[in-house]
């Protein structure tokens, strides 16, 4: 089934903590898993992505953990900053080269 | 590289009128996507072109929505007989590498 489930819908963490955003999927043919962030009044922009040959991808404070067996992937934001407050979307690419999007997580970082 | 260009940025139409939204993808990008975003529904896929050919329009409301890509430098989304529930931000995106999608700034459509 072509669906990507994302949780939680909203998340509030204190500055300096690690924020963890979760996604899961069912279609084993998905082959690319990006995360996008969207700041208020702006459009979504690519943040970081992973292919299923890897189980971890890091870029600074942002890390994707990927579990192919369980069909789950998560975004960890370490040492979270108020400027990280945004809506985060996970997605998965299908065999038609189209992205299937999660429903988004609104992340608020409290100073 | 000016990115994906969408015009107009804001459009107000009366109920029942037609609205045409324009998108200029990034030069050289082979895929163009249209999405609609609202607070309630979130990010909704509408339609997708690859090399100007329509690939998937499964998200398009069939009766009043249509999209075209007459050449590689622009795509249009047309909404006939606009209704208040069509009010949303319409996002156009393009990509060269499947999965790495670049979004335009969007057109905010308000139907009054």
């Amino acid at each position: 089934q072509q669906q990507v489930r994302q949780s939680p819908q909203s998340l509030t963490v204190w500055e300096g903590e690690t924020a963890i955003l979760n996604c899961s999927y069912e279609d084993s043919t998905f082959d690319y898993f990006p995360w996008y962030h969207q700041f208020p009044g702006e459009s979504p922009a690519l943040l970081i992505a992973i292919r299923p040959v890897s189980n971890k991808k890091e870029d600074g404070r942002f890390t994707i953990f990927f579990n192919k067996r369980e069909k789950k992937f998560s975004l960890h934001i370490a040492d979270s900053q108020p400027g990280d407050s945004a809506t985060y979307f996970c997605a998965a690419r299908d065999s038609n080269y189209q992205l299937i999007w999660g429903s988004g997580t609104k992340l608020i970082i409290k100073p | 590289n000016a990115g994906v260009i969408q015009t107009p940025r804001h459009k107000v139409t009366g109920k029942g009128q037609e609205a045409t939204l324009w998108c200029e993808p990034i030069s050289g990008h082979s895929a163009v996507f249209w999405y609609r975003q609202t607070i309630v529904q979130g990010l909704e896929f509408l339609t997708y072109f690859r090399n100007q050919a329509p690939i998937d329009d499964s998200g398009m409301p069939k009766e009043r929505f249509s999209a075209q890509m007459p050449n590689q430098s622009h795509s249009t989304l047309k909404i006939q007989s606009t209704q208040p529930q069509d009010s949303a931000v319409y996002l156009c995106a393009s990509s060269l590498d499947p999965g790495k999608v670049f979004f335009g700034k969007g057109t905010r459509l308000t139907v009054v």
Side-chain angles (χ1 to χ4, degrees), chain A residues 3-106:
Chain A
Q3 199 171 5
V4 175
R5 292 184 174 84
Q6 185 169 353
S7 64
Q9 187 174 3
S10 64
L11 177 66
T12 300
V13 301
W14 293 102
E15 182 177 357
E17 292 183 336
T18 297
I20 300 174
L21 291 66
N22 300 296
C23 284
S24 65
Y25 64 99
E26 295 180 4
D27 191 330
S28 57
T29 66
F30 290 165
D31 65 353
Y32 179 78
F33 301 86
W35 283 87
Y36 284 72
H37 57 180
Q38 183 177 24
F39 296 99
E42 297 185 10
S43 297
L46 179 64
L47 176 62
I48 187 173
I50 194 168
R51 298 182 191 277
V53 294
S54 303
N55 56 22
K56 183 180 178 181
K57 177 76 177 289
E58 288 181 272
D59 184 357
R61 297 183 295 107
F62 300 90
T63 303
I64 299 176
F65 290 93
F66 186 83
N67 187 322
K68 188 174 181 178
R69 183 179 61 84
E70 294 187 7
K71 295 181 182 173
K72 294 180 179 179
F73 58 111
S74 60
L75 176 69
H76 292 224
I77 305 174
D79 187 26
S80 54
Q81 303 296 309
D84 297 330
S85 296
T87 298
Y88 290 77
F89 294 95
C90 64
R93 187 176 70 187
D94 69 9
S95 56
N96 209 24
Y97 294 123
Q98 184 171 293
L99 287 178
I100 310 301
W101 295 85
S103 55
T105 295
K106 184 174 182 179

Side-chain angles (χ1 to χ4, degrees), chain B residues 7-110:
Chain B
T7 56
R9 293 293 315 281
H10 302 272
K11 187 172 182 67
V12 180
T13 62
K15 181 179 175 181
Q17 291 185 328
E18 181 177 289
T20 299
L21 312 181
W22 295 75
C23 172
E24 180 181 331
I26 294 172
S27 177
H29 281 194
S30 55
V32 172
F33 304 83
W34 284 96
Y35 294 90
R36 175 169 65 180
Q37 189 170 35
T38 61
I39 298 293
V40 174
Q41 296 293 332
L43 189 63
E44 294 179 274
F45 167 78
L46 294 176
T47 191
Y48 160 36
F49 294 88
R50 191 193 306 158
N51 295 322
Q52 298 175 234
I55 302 299
D56 183 353
D57 67 353
S58 60
M60 294 275 276
K62 291 291 185 269
E63 292 183 350
R64 299 182 295 106
F65 284 59
S66 62
Q68 295 184 339
M69 191 162 183
N71 57 60
Q72 63 184 9
S73 63
H74 90 273
S75 175
T76 58
L77 179 67
K78 184 179 293 185
I79 308 171
Q80 296 179 313
S81 185
T82 54
Q83 302 298 309
Q85 60 264 31
D86 298 331
S87 297
V89 175
Y90 289 82
L91 293 166
C92 178
S94 71
S95 75
L96 176 61
D97 182 350
K100 294 183 182 179
V101 175
F102 295 85
F103 286 85
K105 294 184 184 297
T107 295
R108 180 175 296 278
L109 176 67
T110 303

